[in-house]
Amino acid sequence: MDDEDILPLKSKDLDGYKDWIVRTMATWLESTPEEIDPDRNFADVALDSVAALRLLGMIEIMMDQPMDPSVFTKYPSPSALAEYLAAETV
């Protein structure tokens, strides 16, 4: 995975991270961002283990730090994960 494979992050705040996660998932699911509910669990919106690891790798590149895969257990929705990432950015 290259930096070029990662959609641009519009801002390093809660809304920016949530938008990025939703747009990324929508791209993978061949849907629109409006069809992804950011408050639903990742498992409920078809984020399987392979996609979760792919998303984790993208987050590691974007944040320039390793991430523990348990973030998907601790922060099980795009909104919850975005909140965590925004707090890590501060």
Side-chain angles (χ1 to χ4, degrees), residues 18-64:
K18 187 187 314 183
D19 173 72
W20 178 82
I21 293 166
V22 168
R23 286 186 299 116
T24 298
M25 291 177 63
T27 299
W28 294 347
L29 298 171
E30 297 179 356
S31 63
T32 65
E34 295 77 26
E35 294 175 291
I36 306 290
D37 180 352
D39 296 318
R40 289 187 61 200
N41 285 350
F42 286 112
D44 294 339
V45 289
L47 188 78
D48 62 17
S49 59
V50 173
L53 288 176
R54 184 176 176 202
L55 183 61
L56 186 68
M58 290 178 163
I59 292 170
E60 288 178 338
I61 290 170
M62 192 171 53
M63 302 285 288
D64 194 29

Side-chain angles (χ1 to χ4, degrees), residues 3-22:
D3 288 349
E4 294 84 37
D5 295 331
I6 301 173
L7 294 173
L9 179 66
K10 295 178 181 176
S11 63
K12 291 186 176 185
D13 60 12
L14 175 62
D15 290 334
Y17 285 115
K18 187 187 314 183
D19 173 72
W20 178 82
I21 293 166
V22 168

